Amino acid sequence: FTILFAMTGTPAEAQRTTDLTPEEKIRVDNHVKITREEYIHKWSSLALENRELYGIPASITLGQAILESGYGNSTLSILTNNHFNIKCKKDWTGDRRLWSDDNPDDCFRVYESVEDSYIDYAEYLSSRSWYEPLFAYELTDYKSWAKGLKEAGYATDPEYAQKLIRVIEDTHIYLLDEEDGLSRYNEH
């Protein structure tokens, strides 16, 4: 098991653990693994909604969620409903989870639902000045978006853009960005 820390409220209230609590272990063990097709089917409409409301390509939203959460099957996403691995940052006032990532005690946002994670992701990208240049790209230009996300510092993995592009292409979710995208995706 990854070393993790349970935390709600302020950092001073953190309770350090070296393993999952029994309840968390049961929750993770009882999680029914979601397949690629199931994940895309379940969350594509929310990714499309974020495209309409925030101007973020559906393929980017869904591709990042897939890459960051392992189709919603990663331990962190199961415990936090955080499908984008968004860290707390200074302005986050919600629940938190300390988790070993780039550092032993990185702080991740905790959400009531996966839907909340998708909404916060879109609000996060659309409200941060360092992501502003992305919104000049066409909604069908997922490659520029992927490279721009990496350049803006979304992830520390030097291969992040290539991995995101590979996910988008392997799953054909780039079709969601086209005219009548959901129908085109469902027909492929």
Side-chain angles (χ1 to χ4, degrees):
F1 288 80
T2 303
I3 294 176
L4 65 107
F5 308 84
M7 180 171 152
T8 58
T10 64
E13 298 171 5
Q15 179 182 0
R16 187 176 181 141
T17 62
T18 56
D19 219 340
L20 297 175
T21 66
E23 295 82 14
E24 290 170 333
K25 184 166 178 7
I26 290 168
R27 186 172 169 196
V28 170
D29 289 347
N30 288 337
H31 173 76
V32 177
K33 296 284 185 204
I34 300 169
T35 67
R36 174 168 92 174
E37 293 76 19
E38 290 169 333
Y39 190 89
I40 293 168
H41 177 74
K42 185 170 187 174
W43 300 113
S44 59
S45 61
L46 194 50
L48 287 164
E49 185 177 318
N50 278 356
R51 181 188 71 186
E52 296 304 313
L53 294 174
Y54 297 95
I56 302 167
S59 63
I60 289 294
T61 298
L62 207 50
Q64 285 196 274
I66 288 167
L67 187 58
E68 297 288 346
S69 75
Y71 300 103
N73 296 316
S74 74
T75 300
L76 183 60
S77 66
I78 293 166
L79 296 176
T80 64
N81 289 318
N82 187 339
H83 282 216
F84 298 92
N85 285 351
I86 298 178
K87 295 183 179 171
C88 297
K89 307 292 184 202
K90 292 177 186 175
D91 62 343
W92 179 247
T93 59
D95 287 343
R96 307 153 181 262
R97 179 85 185 201
L98 293 181
W99 190 267
S100 292
D101 187 45
D102 296 326
N103 300 298
D105 57 353
D106 282 329
C107 182
F108 288 88
R109 296 177 180 201
V110 176
Y111 301 98
E112 288 291 319
S113 67
V114 175
E115 291 87 352
D116 289 345
S117 173
Y118 270 75
I119 293 165
D120 187 55
Y121 160 82
E123 290 176 353
Y124 183 82
L125 284 189
S126 64
S127 67
R128 300 301 193 266
S129 61
W130 52 90
Y131 295 122
E132 192 174 319
L134 298 173
F135 292 88
Y137 299 128
E138 295 291 325
L139 288 173
T140 55
D141 190 0
Y142 64 88
K143 290 181 181 179
S144 292
W145 271 82
K147 292 171 187 170
L149 282 164
K150 173 58 186 134
E151 290 168 10
Y154 190 91
T156 56
D157 182 348
E159 302 297 316
Y160 189 81
Q162 294 87 339
K163 289 177 181 179
L164 179 54
I165 291 167
R166 190 173 321 117
V167 164
I168 291 168
E169 292 177 348
D170 287 352
T171 59
H172 305 282
I173 57 177
Y174 56 85
L175 294 169
L176 294 170
D177 297 329
E178 298 177 7
E179 187 77 27
D180 199 24
L182 191 55
S183 294
R184 290 184 52 95
Y185 176 80
N186 289 333
E187 291 170 0
H188 95 277

PDB file of all heavy atoms in Angstrom, residues 153-186:
ATOM      1  N   GLY A 153       2.170  23.437 -16.617  1.00  0.00           N
ATOM      2  CA  GLY A 153       2.496  22.839 -15.335  1.00  0.00           C
ATOM      3  C   GLY A 153       1.422  21.955 -14.732  1.00  0.00           C
ATOM      4  O   GLY A 153       1.456  21.676 -13.532  1.00  0.00           O
ATOM      5  N   TYR A 154       0.469  21.464 -15.548  1.00  0.00           N
ATOM      6  CA  TYR A 154      -0.584  20.622 -14.981  1.00  0.00           C
ATOM      7  C   TYR A 154      -0.009  19.365 -14.341  1.00  0.00           C
ATOM      8  O   TYR A 154      -0.470  18.930 -13.306  1.00  0.00           O
ATOM      9  CB  TYR A 154      -1.617  20.229 -16.043  1.00  0.00           C
ATOM     10  CG  TYR A 154      -2.833  19.560 -15.430  1.00  0.00           C
ATOM     11  CD1 TYR A 154      -3.931  20.322 -15.042  1.00  0.00           C
ATOM     12  CD2 TYR A 154      -2.883  18.195 -15.196  1.00  0.00           C
ATOM     13  CE1 TYR A 154      -5.032  19.744 -14.448  1.00  0.00           C
ATOM     14  CE2 TYR A 154      -3.983  17.601 -14.604  1.00  0.00           C
ATOM     15  CZ  TYR A 154      -5.050  18.371 -14.233  1.00  0.00           C
ATOM     16  OH  TYR A 154      -6.137  17.792 -13.633  1.00  0.00           O
ATOM     17  N   ALA A 155       1.011  18.780 -14.965  1.00  0.00           N
ATOM     18  CA  ALA A 155       1.600  17.535 -14.456  1.00  0.00           C
ATOM     19  C   ALA A 155       3.121  17.642 -14.482  1.00  0.00           C
ATOM     20  O   ALA A 155       3.688  18.385 -15.283  1.00  0.00           O
ATOM     21  CB  ALA A 155       1.138  16.359 -15.308  1.00  0.00           C
ATOM     22  N   THR A 156       3.761  16.869 -13.622  1.00  0.00           N
ATOM     23  CA  THR A 156       5.219  16.875 -13.563  1.00  0.00           C
ATOM     24  C   THR A 156       5.850  15.823 -14.473  1.00  0.00           C
ATOM     25  O   THR A 156       7.029  15.901 -14.770  1.00  0.00           O
ATOM     26  CB  THR A 156       5.713  16.648 -12.124  1.00  0.00           C
ATOM     27  OG1 THR A 156       5.161  15.426 -11.630  1.00  0.00           O
ATOM     28  CG2 THR A 156       5.305  17.804 -11.221  1.00  0.00           C
ATOM     29  N   ASP A 157       5.081  14.865 -14.925  1.00  0.00           N
ATOM     30  CA  ASP A 157       5.586  13.817 -15.801  1.00  0.00           C
ATOM     31  C   ASP A 157       6.032  14.434 -17.127  1.00  0.00           C
ATOM     32  O   ASP A 157       5.225  15.044 -17.830  1.00  0.00           O
ATOM     33  CB  ASP A 157       4.484  12.781 -16.049  1.00  0.00           C
ATOM     34  CG  ASP A 157       4.924  11.619 -16.918  1.00  0.00           C
ATOM     35  OD1 ASP A 157       6.011  11.682 -17.548  1.00  0.00           O
ATOM     36  OD2 ASP A 157       4.170  10.635 -16.994  1.00  0.00           O
ATOM     37  N   PRO A 158       7.305  14.285 -17.489  1.00  0.00           N
ATOM     38  CA  PRO A 158       7.779  14.897 -18.739  1.00  0.00           C
ATOM     39  C   PRO A 158       7.082  14.336 -19.979  1.00  0.00           C
ATOM     40  O   PRO A 158       7.053  14.983 -21.017  1.00  0.00           O
ATOM     41  CB  PRO A 158       9.276  14.593 -18.762  1.00  0.00           C
ATOM     42  CG  PRO A 158       9.540  13.632 -17.673  1.00  0.00           C
ATOM     43  CD  PRO A 158       8.363  13.612 -16.753  1.00  0.00           C
ATOM     44  N   GLU A 159       6.495  13.175 -19.879  1.00  0.00           N
ATOM     45  CA  GLU A 159       5.807  12.542 -21.006  1.00  0.00           C
ATOM     46  C   GLU A 159       4.289  12.746 -20.949  1.00  0.00           C
ATOM     47  O   GLU A 159       3.543  12.084 -21.678  1.00  0.00           O
ATOM     48  CB  GLU A 159       6.116  11.035 -21.019  1.00  0.00           C
ATOM     49  CG  GLU A 159       7.600  10.704 -21.115  1.00  0.00           C
ATOM     50  CD  GLU A 159       8.217  11.191 -22.408  1.00  0.00           C
ATOM     51  OE1 GLU A 159       7.589  10.998 -23.463  1.00  0.00           O
ATOM     52  OE2 GLU A 159       9.322  11.778 -22.348  1.00  0.00           O
ATOM     53  N   TYR A 160       3.826  13.652 -20.092  1.00  0.00           N
ATOM     54  CA  TYR A 160       2.395  13.812 -19.867  1.00  0.00           C
ATOM     55  C   TYR A 160       1.622  14.107 -21.149  1.00  0.00           C
ATOM     56  O   TYR A 160       0.593  13.486 -21.424  1.00  0.00           O
ATOM     57  CB  TYR A 160       2.128  14.907 -18.831  1.00  0.00           C
ATOM     58  CG  TYR A 160       0.685  14.957 -18.397  1.00  0.00           C
ATOM     59  CD1 TYR A 160       0.203  14.073 -17.448  1.00  0.00           C
ATOM     60  CD2 TYR A 160      -0.203  15.880 -18.951  1.00  0.00           C
ATOM     61  CE1 TYR A 160      -1.127  14.100 -17.048  1.00  0.00           C
ATOM     62  CE2 TYR A 160      -1.532  15.921 -18.554  1.00  0.00           C
ATOM     63  CZ  TYR A 160      -1.987  15.029 -17.611  1.00  0.00           C
ATOM     64  OH  TYR A 160      -3.305  15.054 -17.228  1.00  0.00           O
ATOM     65  N   ALA A 161       2.078  15.043 -21.948  1.00  0.00           N
ATOM     66  CA  ALA A 161       1.358  15.406 -23.174  1.00  0.00           C
ATOM     67  C   ALA A 161       1.232  14.195 -24.107  1.00  0.00           C
ATOM     68  O   ALA A 161       0.138  13.923 -24.630  1.00  0.00           O
ATOM     69  CB  ALA A 161       2.053  16.559 -23.885  1.00  0.00           C
ATOM     70  N   GLN A 162       2.318  13.465 -24.292  1.00  0.00           N
ATOM     71  CA  GLN A 162       2.287  12.293 -25.171  1.00  0.00           C
ATOM     72  C   GLN A 162       1.350  11.219 -24.627  1.00  0.00           C
ATOM     73  O   GLN A 162       0.618  10.573 -25.392  1.00  0.00           O
ATOM     74  CB  GLN A 162       3.703  11.715 -25.365  1.00  0.00           C
ATOM     75  CG  GLN A 162       4.634  12.638 -26.114  1.00  0.00           C
ATOM     76  CD  GLN A 162       5.361  13.631 -25.210  1.00  0.00           C
ATOM     77  OE1 GLN A 162       4.939  13.933 -24.089  1.00  0.00           O
ATOM     78  NE2 GLN A 162       6.455  14.175 -25.701  1.00  0.00           N
ATOM     79  N   LYS A 163       1.369  11.027 -23.318  1.00  0.00           N
ATOM     80  CA  LYS A 163       0.473  10.032 -22.716  1.00  0.00           C
ATOM     81  C   LYS A 163      -0.983  10.433 -22.876  1.00  0.00           C
ATOM     82  O   LYS A 163      -1.837   9.589 -23.172  1.00  0.00           O
ATOM     83  CB  LYS A 163       0.809   9.848 -21.226  1.00  0.00           C
ATOM     84  CG  LYS A 163       2.113   9.126 -20.981  1.00  0.00           C
ATOM     85  CD  LYS A 163       2.429   9.036 -19.495  1.00  0.00           C
ATOM     86  CE  LYS A 163       3.746   8.328 -19.257  1.00  0.00           C
ATOM     87  NZ  LYS A 163       4.078   8.251 -17.825  1.00  0.00           N
ATOM     88  N   LEU A 164      -1.278  11.710 -22.690  1.00  0.00           N
ATOM     89  CA  LEU A 164      -2.644  12.195 -22.835  1.00  0.00           C
ATOM     90  C   LEU A 164      -3.114  12.047 -24.285  1.00  0.00           C
ATOM     91  O   LEU A 164      -4.232  11.568 -24.538  1.00  0.00           O
ATOM     92  CB  LEU A 164      -2.740  13.649 -22.378  1.00  0.00           C
ATOM     93  CG  LEU A 164      -4.099  14.328 -22.472  1.00  0.00           C
ATOM     94  CD1 LEU A 164      -5.182  13.531 -21.748  1.00  0.00           C
ATOM     95  CD2 LEU A 164      -4.012  15.745 -21.920  1.00  0.00           C
ATOM     96  N   ILE A 165      -2.276  12.410 -25.226  1.00  0.00           N
ATOM     97  CA  ILE A 165      -2.619  12.253 -26.642  1.00  0.00           C
ATOM     98  C   ILE A 165      -2.858  10.785 -26.968  1.00  0.00           C
ATOM     99  O   ILE A 165      -3.820  10.437 -27.667  1.00  0.00           O
ATOM    100  CB  ILE A 165      -1.519  12.859 -27.542  1.00  0.00           C
ATOM    101  CG1 ILE A 165      -1.525  14.387 -27.385  1.00  0.00           C
ATOM    102  CG2 ILE A 165      -1.699  12.441 -28.996  1.00  0.00           C
ATOM    103  CD1 ILE A 165      -0.293  15.084 -27.961  1.00  0.00           C
ATOM    104  N   ARG A 166      -2.030   9.898 -26.446  1.00  0.00           N
ATOM    105  CA  ARG A 166      -2.183   8.461 -26.696  1.00  0.00           C
ATOM    106  C   ARG A 166      -3.525   7.955 -26.149  1.00  0.00           C
ATOM    107  O   ARG A 166      -4.223   7.191 -26.817  1.00  0.00           O
ATOM    108  CB  ARG A 166      -1.022   7.685 -26.068  1.00  0.00           C
ATOM    109  CG  ARG A 166      -0.984   6.220 -26.492  1.00  0.00           C
ATOM    110  CD  ARG A 166       0.265   5.475 -26.010  1.00  0.00           C
ATOM    111  NE  ARG A 166       1.470   6.269 -26.077  1.00  0.00           N
ATOM    112  CZ  ARG A 166       2.197   6.629 -25.011  1.00  0.00           C
ATOM    113  NH1 ARG A 166       1.847   6.266 -23.803  1.00  0.00           N
ATOM    114  NH2 ARG A 166       3.299   7.346 -25.153  1.00  0.00           N
ATOM    115  N   VAL A 167      -3.897   8.392 -24.949  1.00  0.00           N
ATOM    116  CA  VAL A 167      -5.188   7.990 -24.374  1.00  0.00           C
ATOM    117  C   VAL A 167      -6.332   8.461 -25.279  1.00  0.00           C
ATOM    118  O   VAL A 167      -7.245   7.705 -25.588  1.00  0.00           O
ATOM    119  CB  VAL A 167      -5.367   8.553 -22.942  1.00  0.00           C
ATOM    120  CG1 VAL A 167      -6.815   8.479 -22.498  1.00  0.00           C
ATOM    121  CG2 VAL A 167      -4.476   7.814 -21.954  1.00  0.00           C
ATOM    122  N   ILE A 168      -6.260   9.706 -25.694  1.00  0.00           N
ATOM    123  CA  ILE A 168      -7.320  10.281 -26.533  1.00  0.00           C
ATOM    124  C   ILE A 168      -7.432   9.516 -27.855  1.00  0.00           C
ATOM    125  O   ILE A 168      -8.544   9.208 -28.314  1.00  0.00           O
ATOM    126  CB  ILE A 168      -7.063  11.786 -26.768  1.00  0.00           C
ATOM    127  CG1 ILE A 168      -7.272  12.554 -25.455  1.00  0.00           C
ATOM    128  CG2 ILE A 168      -7.948  12.340 -27.879  1.00  0.00           C
ATOM    129  CD1 ILE A 168      -6.784  13.988 -25.482  1.00  0.00           C
ATOM    130  N   GLU A 169      -6.315   9.188 -28.448  1.00  0.00           N
ATOM    131  CA  GLU A 169      -6.337   8.489 -29.732  1.00  0.00           C
ATOM    132  C   GLU A 169      -6.693   7.012 -29.584  1.00  0.00           C
ATOM    133  O   GLU A 169      -7.459   6.475 -30.385  1.00  0.00           O
ATOM    134  CB  GLU A 169      -4.993   8.668 -30.445  1.00  0.00           C
ATOM    135  CG  GLU A 169      -4.805  10.118 -30.882  1.00  0.00           C
ATOM    136  CD  GLU A 169      -3.466  10.417 -31.526  1.00  0.00           C
ATOM    137  OE1 GLU A 169      -2.532   9.577 -31.455  1.00  0.00           O
ATOM    138  OE2 GLU A 169      -3.342  11.515 -32.126  1.00  0.00           O
ATOM    139  N   ASP A 170      -6.164   6.359 -28.560  1.00  0.00           N
ATOM    140  CA  ASP A 170      -6.466   4.932 -28.353  1.00  0.00           C
ATOM    141  C   ASP A 170      -7.941   4.695 -28.046  1.00  0.00           C
ATOM    142  O   ASP A 170      -8.492   3.656 -28.399  1.00  0.00           O
ATOM    143  CB  ASP A 170      -5.615   4.351 -27.214  1.00  0.00           C
ATOM    144  CG  ASP A 170      -4.152   4.175 -27.607  1.00  0.00           C
ATOM    145  OD1 ASP A 170      -3.806   4.362 -28.797  1.00  0.00           O
ATOM    146  OD2 ASP A 170      -3.342   3.872 -26.702  1.00  0.00           O
ATOM    147  N   THR A 171      -8.568   5.657 -27.383  1.00  0.00           N
ATOM    148  CA  THR A 171      -9.978   5.507 -27.009  1.00  0.00           C
ATOM    149  C   THR A 171     -10.933   6.151 -28.017  1.00  0.00           C
ATOM    150  O   THR A 171     -12.145   6.019 -27.882  1.00  0.00           O
ATOM    151  CB  THR A 171     -10.242   6.139 -25.622  1.00  0.00           C
ATOM    152  OG1 THR A 171      -9.893   7.525 -25.677  1.00  0.00           O
ATOM    153  CG2 THR A 171      -9.461   5.430 -24.525  1.00  0.00           C
ATOM    154  N   HIS A 172     -10.383   6.867 -28.990  1.00  0.00           N
ATOM    155  CA  HIS A 172     -11.178   7.564 -30.027  1.00  0.00           C
ATOM    156  C   HIS A 172     -12.069   8.668 -29.449  1.00  0.00           C
ATOM    157  O   HIS A 172     -13.027   9.075 -30.107  1.00  0.00           O
ATOM    158  CB  HIS A 172     -12.027   6.577 -30.835  1.00  0.00           C
ATOM    159  CG  HIS A 172     -11.237   5.478 -31.448  1.00  0.00           C
ATOM    160  ND1 HIS A 172     -10.489   5.642 -32.590  1.00  0.00           N
ATOM    161  CD2 HIS A 172     -11.050   4.186 -31.062  1.00  0.00           C
ATOM    162  CE1 HIS A 172      -9.879   4.501 -32.893  1.00  0.00           C
ATOM    163  NE2 HIS A 172     -10.200   3.607 -31.987  1.00  0.00           N
ATOM    164  N   ILE A 173     -11.751   9.151 -28.274  1.00  0.00           N
ATOM    165  CA  ILE A 173     -12.608  10.184 -27.687  1.00  0.00           C
ATOM    166  C   ILE A 173     -12.425  11.544 -28.358  1.00  0.00           C
ATOM    167  O   ILE A 173     -13.209  12.458 -28.103  1.00  0.00           O
ATOM    168  CB  ILE A 173     -12.441  10.295 -26.144  1.00  0.00           C
ATOM    169  CG1 ILE A 173     -10.994  10.560 -25.752  1.00  0.00           C
ATOM    170  CG2 ILE A 173     -12.999   9.049 -25.468  1.00  0.00           C
ATOM    171  CD1 ILE A 173     -10.786  10.756 -24.252  1.00  0.00           C
ATOM    172  N   TYR A 174     -11.451  11.678 -29.246  1.00  0.00           N
ATOM    173  CA  TYR A 174     -11.332  12.899 -30.044  1.00  0.00           C
ATOM    174  C   TYR A 174     -12.590  13.106 -30.879  1.00  0.00           C
ATOM    175  O   TYR A 174     -12.919  14.231 -31.258  1.00  0.00           O
ATOM    176  CB  TYR A 174     -10.096  12.871 -30.957  1.00  0.00           C
ATOM    177  CG  TYR A 174     -10.062  11.681 -31.879  1.00  0.00           C
ATOM    178  CD1 TYR A 174     -10.722  11.706 -33.105  1.00  0.00           C
ATOM    179  CD2 TYR A 174      -9.384  10.520 -31.523  1.00  0.00           C
ATOM    180  CE1 TYR A 174     -10.715  10.600 -33.951  1.00  0.00           C
ATOM    181  CE2 TYR A 174      -9.362   9.430 -32.347  1.00  0.00           C
ATOM    182  CZ  TYR A 174     -10.033   9.464 -33.556  1.00  0.00           C
ATOM    183  OH  TYR A 174     -10.025   8.368 -34.384  1.00  0.00           O
ATOM    184  N   LEU A 175     -13.319  12.029 -31.159  1.00  0.00           N
ATOM    185  CA  LEU A 175     -14.571  12.138 -31.910  1.00  0.00           C
ATOM    186  C   LEU A 175     -15.601  12.985 -31.173  1.00  0.00           C
ATOM    187  O   LEU A 175     -16.458  13.612 -31.797  1.00  0.00           O
ATOM    188  CB  LEU A 175     -15.142  10.748 -32.196  1.00  0.00           C
ATOM    189  CG  LEU A 175     -14.321   9.863 -33.138  1.00  0.00           C
ATOM    190  CD1 LEU A 175     -14.853   8.430 -33.124  1.00  0.00           C
ATOM    191  CD2 LEU A 175     -14.316  10.446 -34.543  1.00  0.00           C
ATOM    192  N   LEU A 176     -15.521  13.021 -29.849  1.00  0.00           N
ATOM    193  CA  LEU A 176     -16.457  13.820 -29.054  1.00  0.00           C
ATOM    194  C   LEU A 176     -16.329  15.311 -29.349  1.00  0.00           C
ATOM    195  O   LEU A 176     -17.278  16.067 -29.140  1.00  0.00           O
ATOM    196  CB  LEU A 176     -16.243  13.573 -27.561  1.00  0.00           C
ATOM    197  CG  LEU A 176     -16.560  12.172 -27.050  1.00  0.00           C
ATOM    198  CD1 LEU A 176     -16.061  12.010 -25.620  1.00  0.00           C
ATOM    199  CD2 LEU A 176     -18.046  11.886 -27.148  1.00  0.00           C
ATOM    200  N   ASP A 177     -15.172  15.736 -29.827  1.00  0.00           N
ATOM    201  CA  ASP A 177     -14.932  17.155 -30.092  1.00  0.00           C
ATOM    202  C   ASP A 177     -15.497  17.607 -31.438  1.00  0.00           C
ATOM    203  O   ASP A 177     -15.540  18.793 -31.721  1.00  0.00           O
ATOM    204  CB  ASP A 177     -13.429  17.456 -30.061  1.00  0.00           C
ATOM    205  CG  ASP A 177     -12.822  17.188 -28.701  1.00  0.00           C
ATOM    206  OD1 ASP A 177     -13.527  17.353 -27.691  1.00  0.00           O
ATOM    207  OD2 ASP A 177     -11.633  16.811 -28.647  1.00  0.00           O
ATOM    208  N   GLU A 178     -15.918  16.672 -32.249  1.00  0.00           N
ATOM    209  CA  GLU A 178     -16.427  17.000 -33.580  1.00  0.00           C
ATOM    210  C   GLU A 178     -17.921  17.326 -33.524  1.00  0.00           C
ATOM    211  O   GLU A 178     -18.582  17.102 -32.510  1.00  0.00           O
ATOM    212  CB  GLU A 178     -16.157  15.831 -34.534  1.00  0.00           C
ATOM    213  CG  GLU A 178     -14.667  15.558 -34.701  1.00  0.00           C
ATOM    214  CD  GLU A 178     -14.363  14.366 -35.573  1.00  0.00           C
ATOM    215  OE1 GLU A 178     -15.310  13.798 -36.171  1.00  0.00           O
ATOM    216  OE2 GLU A 178     -13.182  14.001 -35.660  1.00  0.00           O
ATOM    217  N   GLU A 179     -18.437  17.847 -34.624  1.00  0.00           N
ATOM    218  CA  GLU A 179     -19.864  18.120 -34.746  1.00  0.00           C
ATOM    219  C   GLU A 179     -20.634  16.843 -34.465  1.00  0.00           C
ATOM    220  O   GLU A 179     -20.280  15.784 -34.984  1.00  0.00           O
ATOM    221  CB  GLU A 179     -20.170  18.625 -36.169  1.00  0.00           C
ATOM    222  CG  GLU A 179     -21.570  19.085 -36.382  1.00  0.00           C
ATOM    223  CD  GLU A 179     -21.823  20.467 -35.800  1.00  0.00           C
ATOM    224  OE1 GLU A 179     -20.862  21.254 -35.691  1.00  0.00           O
ATOM    225  OE2 GLU A 179     -22.972  20.732 -35.448  1.00  0.00           O
ATOM    226  N   ASP A 180     -21.658  16.918 -33.613  1.00  0.00           N
ATOM    227  CA  ASP A 180     -22.449  15.749 -33.223  1.00  0.00           C
ATOM    228  C   ASP A 180     -21.541  14.636 -32.676  1.00  0.00           C
ATOM    229  O   ASP A 180     -21.648  13.463 -33.038  1.00  0.00           O
ATOM    230  CB  ASP A 180     -23.279  15.246 -34.406  1.00  0.00           C
ATOM    231  CG  ASP A 180     -24.432  14.373 -33.976  1.00  0.00           C
ATOM    232  OD1 ASP A 180     -24.890  14.502 -32.818  1.00  0.00           O
ATOM    233  OD2 ASP A 180     -24.906  13.548 -34.787  1.00  0.00           O
ATOM    234  N   GLY A 181     -20.623  15.053 -31.792  1.00  0.00           N
ATOM    235  CA  GLY A 181     -19.562  14.190 -31.306  1.00  0.00           C
ATOM    236  C   GLY A 181     -19.999  12.917 -30.615  1.00  0.00           C
ATOM    237  O   GLY A 181     -19.404  11.858 -30.825  1.00  0.00           O
ATOM    238  N   LEU A 182     -21.033  12.995 -29.781  1.00  0.00           N
ATOM    239  CA  LEU A 182     -21.450  11.794 -29.061  1.00  0.00           C
ATOM    240  C   LEU A 182     -21.951  10.731 -30.024  1.00  0.00           C
ATOM    241  O   LEU A 182     -21.622   9.552 -29.889  1.00  0.00           O
ATOM    242  CB  LEU A 182     -22.512  12.134 -28.014  1.00  0.00           C
ATOM    243  CG  LEU A 182     -22.858  11.032 -27.019  1.00  0.00           C
ATOM    244  CD1 LEU A 182     -21.611  10.516 -26.289  1.00  0.00           C
ATOM    245  CD2 LEU A 182     -23.884  11.523 -26.017  1.00  0.00           C
ATOM    246  N   SER A 183     -22.719  11.142 -31.021  1.00  0.00           N
ATOM    247  CA  SER A 183     -23.210  10.189 -32.035  1.00  0.00           C
ATOM    248  C   SER A 183     -22.035   9.608 -32.815  1.00  0.00           C
ATOM    249  O   SER A 183     -21.995   8.401 -33.066  1.00  0.00           O
ATOM    250  CB  SER A 183     -24.176  10.865 -32.997  1.00  0.00           C
ATOM    251  OG  SER A 183     -25.333  11.250 -32.321  1.00  0.00           O
ATOM    252  N   ARG A 184     -21.103  10.476 -33.203  1.00  0.00           N
ATOM    253  CA  ARG A 184     -19.923   9.986 -33.952  1.00  0.00           C
ATOM    254  C   ARG A 184     -19.115   9.000 -33.108  1.00  0.00           C
ATOM    255  O   ARG A 184     -18.657   7.982 -33.611  1.00  0.00           O
ATOM    256  CB  ARG A 184     -19.057  11.155 -34.399  1.00  0.00           C
ATOM    257  CG  ARG A 184     -19.718  11.987 -35.499  1.00  0.00           C
ATOM    258  CD  ARG A 184     -18.782  13.079 -35.990  1.00  0.00           C
ATOM    259  NE  ARG A 184     -17.491  12.571 -36.370  1.00  0.00           N
ATOM    260  CZ  ARG A 184     -17.140  12.241 -37.594  1.00  0.00           C
ATOM    261  NH1 ARG A 184     -17.977  12.348 -38.575  1.00  0.00           N
ATOM    262  NH2 ARG A 184     -15.897  11.812 -37.854  1.00  0.00           N
ATOM    263  N   TYR A 185     -18.942   9.317 -31.820  1.00  0.00           N
ATOM    264  CA  TYR A 185     -18.206   8.400 -30.955  1.00  0.00           C
ATOM    265  C   TYR A 185     -18.941   7.056 -30.835  1.00  0.00           C
ATOM    266  O   TYR A 185     -18.332   5.996 -30.944  1.00  0.00           O
ATOM    267  CB  TYR A 185     -17.965   9.006 -29.570  1.00  0.00           C
ATOM    268  CG  TYR A 185     -17.297   8.001 -28.663  1.00  0.00           C
ATOM    269  CD1 TYR A 185     -15.927   7.799 -28.758  1.00  0.00           C
ATOM    270  CD2 TYR A 185     -18.034   7.228 -27.779  1.00  0.00           C
ATOM    271  CE1 TYR A 185     -15.298   6.846 -27.971  1.00  0.00           C
ATOM    272  CE2 TYR A 185     -17.404   6.277 -26.984  1.00  0.00           C
ATOM    273  CZ  TYR A 185     -16.047   6.076 -27.090  1.00  0.00           C
ATOM    274  OH  TYR A 185     -15.435   5.120 -26.324  1.00  0.00           O
ATOM    275  N   ASN A 186     -20.244   7.108 -30.617  1.00  0.00           N
ATOM    276  CA  ASN A 186     -21.030   5.886 -30.448  1.00  0.00           C
ATOM    277  C   ASN A 186     -21.059   5.031 -31.696  1.00  0.00           C
ATOM    278  O   ASN A 186     -21.215   3.813 -31.610  1.00  0.00           O
ATOM    279  CB  ASN A 186     -22.451   6.221 -29.990  1.00  0.00           C
ATOM    280  CG  ASN A 186     -22.482   6.708 -28.559  1.00  0.00           C
ATOM    281  OD1 ASN A 186     -21.634   6.366 -27.739  1.00  0.00           O
ATOM    282  ND2 ASN A 186     -23.474   7.538 -28.251  1.00  0.00           N
TER     283      ASN A 186
END
